[in-house]
Amino acid sequence: MSVLDSFKLDGKTALVTGAKRGLGRAMAEGLAEAGADIIGVSASLEADGSDVGRAVTGLGRRFTGYACDFSDRAAVTRFAAEVLANHPEIDILINNAGTIKRMPAAEHPDELWDEVIEVNLSAQFVLTREVGRRMVERGRGKVIFTASLLSFQGGITVPGYAASKGGIAQLTMAFANEWAGRGVNVNAIAPGYIATDNTQALRDDPVRSKAILDRIPAGRWGRPEDFAGATVFLASGASDYVHGTILTVDGGWMGR
């Protein structure tokens, strides 16, 4: 197999959470362009996937959309059972769904903490356990988590988010330690500061926005499409010897 051929995903099926917009949509479209059919899920995704669905089918791939509230443990469990019943062989799992709640730690209420931990960490564990079990049985599969720069740093006024993303980094390595020898790759991508809904408040704050841009060696906010290549790499045969890695896509932030 040539190097370029090792990146192809023809005949593969990828489940992408948080697929409706932002990073998830860019990941889904990148995987489709590489040859994969896409199962998308978000809190309010239409069955046809709306814009992301049209983009995927426009590339000649199949798209199936689901809606799931990732803050509801029972809903996540039901979704896992339903999607596996309808699609018993999922080759790639992209754990991208997430949320962020900003409030100073001394004023951060339990309900915000609980919601963020449930969506960003617990739901990811449940879905990976259920989908990953089938991968382990088959002896092959790719799991990719969306981590964060706050998997390494503490952030400001986002204690639940920082805790959840620190947990995602550890969960990535924990799954990899158990599944690497059984043919399943588990890795994560840690985005830097990306122009998405989650960073709108930061981009609207001239002081914070300037401070962030001044530290990014690339000199710009990231774009969702910056993640397509990294996602395809970790989802493909090109990364078969990569396990438990957190790949930063951050414009050089962590090297500063």
Side-chain angles (χ1 to χ4, degrees), residues 3-250:
V3 171
L4 291 179
D5 283 343
S6 72
F7 286 85
K8 292 181 179 178
L9 298 175
D10 299 279
K12 303 295 185 182
T13 297
L15 170 56
V16 182
T17 73
K20 187 170 185 176
R21 60 183 183 271
L23 295 186
R25 176 176 173 177
M27 290 171 162
E29 292 178 10
L31 293 169
E33 189 171 346
D37 294 322
I38 305 298
I39 305 164
V41 57
S42 291
S44 59
L45 188 64
E46 300 85 350
D48 65 358
S50 189
D51 290 342
V52 64
R54 284 190 288 271
V56 168
T57 56
L59 291 165
R61 312 304 170 194
R62 290 191 295 270
F63 183 91
T64 307
Y66 291 86
C68 180
D69 179 359
F70 283 89
S71 68
D72 181 340
R73 182 77 59 89
V76 173
T77 302
R78 288 193 300 271
F79 165 69
E82 180 183 3
V83 76
L84 286 168
N86 294 336
H87 309 273
E89 190 162 327
I90 295 170
D91 303 287
I92 302 157
L93 171 62
I94 309 294
N95 283 305
N96 172 71
T99 189
I100 188 167
K101 303 294 181 183
R102 300 181 185 277
M103 190 169 289
E107 303 162 18
H108 209 84
D110 290 353
E111 55 267 26
L112 292 191
W113 171 274
D114 291 344
E115 179 183 353
V116 170
I117 295 297
E118 190 65 38
V119 172
N120 291 7
L121 186 59
S122 297
Q124 316 293 333
F125 169 74
V126 170
L127 192 57
T128 302
R129 180 189 65 201
E130 299 304 310
V131 175
R133 181 185 295 123
R134 301 283 186 93
M135 295 178 175
V136 169
E137 291 170 355
R138 293 194 304 271
R140 65 183 185 278
K142 303 280 185 172
V143 178
I144 304 169
F145 289 94
T146 296
S148 170
L149 293 182
L150 298 196
S151 296
F152 312 102
Q153 302 172 326
I156 300 170
T157 72
V158 286
Y161 184 83
S164 71
K165 291 302 184 178
I168 285 294
Q170 295 302 118
L171 194 59
T172 298
M173 292 183 281
F175 274 121
N177 287 342
E178 293 193 36
W179 292 354
R182 304 182 72 175
V184 178
N185 297 73
V186 184
N187 294 288
I189 297 173
Y193 285 91
I194 313 303
T196 64
D197 293 347
N198 278 357
T199 60
Q200 189 66 57
L202 295 177
R203 288 182 287 127
D204 289 343
D205 182 331
V207 175
R208 290 294 307 281
S209 182
K210 182 179 185 303
I212 288 167
L213 283 173
D214 284 348
R215 177 172 166 164
I216 299 173
R220 66 170 175 87
W221 289 79
R223 296 183 288 265
E225 54 267 30
D226 291 324
F227 293 83
T231 303
V232 170
F233 166 61
L234 291 177
S236 71
S239 64
D240 279 352
Y241 199 59
V242 180
H243 295 276
T245 289
I246 303 168
L247 175 62
T248 55
V249 181
D250 63 355

